Amino acid sequence: MPSPKGTESDAVCIVQLTDSHLYADPDADLLGLDTSDSLGAVVDLVLEEVSRVDLVLATGDIAQDGSERAYRRFIAAVEPLPAPCYWIPGNHDDATLMARIGADTGFSKDWIDAGNWRIVMLDSSIPGAVAGHLSVSQLELLELALDGAGERFVMVCLHHHPVPIGCDWMDPLGLLNVDDLLPRLRADRRVKVVLWGHIHQELDQQLDGLRLLATPSTCVQFARHSSDFATDTRPPGYRSLTLLPDGGIETRVSRLQSGLFLPDPGAVGY
């Protein structure tokens, strides 16, 4: 069982990629933006900026069309990153197909132990729906992960946002059974951070000592504080996190150069 003490070398360095929305067709685009090219550019940016990567976490909407070719293309796209990658499904994904491919490739795990941390990977997707929900089996998985974490600190990952983000159209499309998740996490002092995707924008909040983090998409960005669906001109990006051995968290969002990979300004939904 790890001690909560440690050296800087015991830190866990993570890159989060989210909402890549790949298609089977490499020439397909989302709202006029080439999602394959933008993911490749973000991976190149990670390789340029991040000197150490221990884990890559892909937090849903890997594919836009839920196709096996799209998932295989994602696996190929992240192969240059010098660390294992683990994924969870989002509302556009085929969770059953992802689990099958993930079992063969090692991309699917219920949790990952690294350094003084346990990283729990929850599936919040509902087949055929945009909003999210944690099933009884996923809540039981969370309990198993917490019960066996020992003295480790805990980060919980899911696709859907568990708190309001100030977007009228997006807020109803988050996690529907928040009351089954947040009170449990807030009651456990080992749980330090919740990490998600889905909202295609950056968020960093605190809730009773619990860090709440969301990350830009590797493709289209959504406008913050919008009443109706609206895209943003901010470029695609990723999040890097350093999970420190004492339970601290260092994190930042990095984006591609402004003006790159802009969606169709007339887009009204996807």
Side-chain angles (χ1 to χ4, degrees):
M1 185 179 298
S3 165
K5 298 179 181 179
T7 66
E8 193 66 28
S9 62
D10 297 320
V12 183
C13 299
I14 294 172
V15 164
Q16 181 198 12
L17 304 173
T18 196
D19 297 271
S20 52
H21 291 273
L22 298 182
Y23 293 86
D25 180 356
D27 296 322
D29 64 66
L30 178 67
L31 306 179
L33 189 152
D34 188 320
T35 60
S36 181
D37 282 355
S38 64
L39 174 60
V42 170
V43 169
D44 288 343
L45 184 63
V46 172
L47 291 169
E48 176 186 329
E49 293 183 336
V50 183
S51 59
R52 173 185 163 190
V53 184
D54 298 318
L55 300 170
V56 179
L57 303 179
T59 51
D61 281 358
I62 311 299
Q64 172 70 8
D65 59 6
S67 67
E68 179 160 358
R69 286 186 63 191
Y71 297 120
R72 299 292 181 188
R73 293 181 58 240
F74 179 85
I75 291 168
V78 300
E79 187 176 7
L81 297 173
C85 180
Y86 303 100
W87 64 18
I88 49 177
N91 51 288
H92 285 275
D93 288 310
D94 183 325
T96 301
L97 178 58
M98 279 183 68
R100 177 173 67 77
I101 296 172
D104 293 339
T105 59
F107 273 53
S108 294
K109 289 192 78 170
D110 291 338
W111 60 76
I112 307 106
D113 290 336
N116 283 352
W117 287 80
R118 171 163 287 187
I119 300 161
V120 185
M121 307 289 283
L122 297 178
D123 176 2
S124 60
S125 65
I126 307 171
V130 178
H133 183 273
L134 290 172
S135 65
V136 170
S137 64
Q138 288 297 298
L139 294 170
E140 290 174 346
L141 184 156
L142 174 62
E143 286 300 325
L144 283 173
L146 294 176
D147 287 347
E151 295 180 14
R152 290 183 176 91
F153 301 107
V154 178
M155 177 166 74
V156 174
C157 303
L158 70 164
H159 180 67
H160 292 83
H161 49 294
V163 293
I165 63 166
C167 285
D168 292 344
W169 69 275
M170 178 61 99
D171 276 337
L173 303 177
L175 186 69
L176 298 179
N177 58 332
V178 170
D179 289 342
D180 290 331
L181 178 68
L182 283 186
R184 179 67 182 90
L185 301 185
R186 293 168 69 183
D188 193 324
R189 291 174 178 257
R190 297 169 302 172
V191 182
K192 299 298 183 184
V193 57
V194 183
L195 182 71
W196 67 87
H198 191 49
I199 65 174
H200 291 234
Q201 57 192 267
E202 178 181 356
L203 181 143
D204 187 344
Q205 296 180 354
Q206 294 274 352
L207 180 65
D208 296 335
L210 186 63
R211 192 86 173 263
L212 305 173
L213 298 172
T215 297
S217 165
T218 65
C219 60
V220 174
Q221 309 303 302
F222 295 160
R224 301 177 67 184
H225 308 301
S226 53
S227 296
D228 300 310
F229 176 88
T231 59
D232 195 3
T233 58
R234 289 181 175 90
Y238 71 94
R239 180 181 292 278
S240 59
L241 303 100
T242 302
L243 307 183
L244 300 172
D246 64 357
I249 304 151
E250 296 176 353
T251 186
R252 72 181 183 96
V253 164
S254 185
R255 296 179 184 263
L256 296 172
Q257 180 181 341
S258 295
L260 298 178
F261 299 107
L262 296 176
D264 181 347
V268 294
Y270 79 111

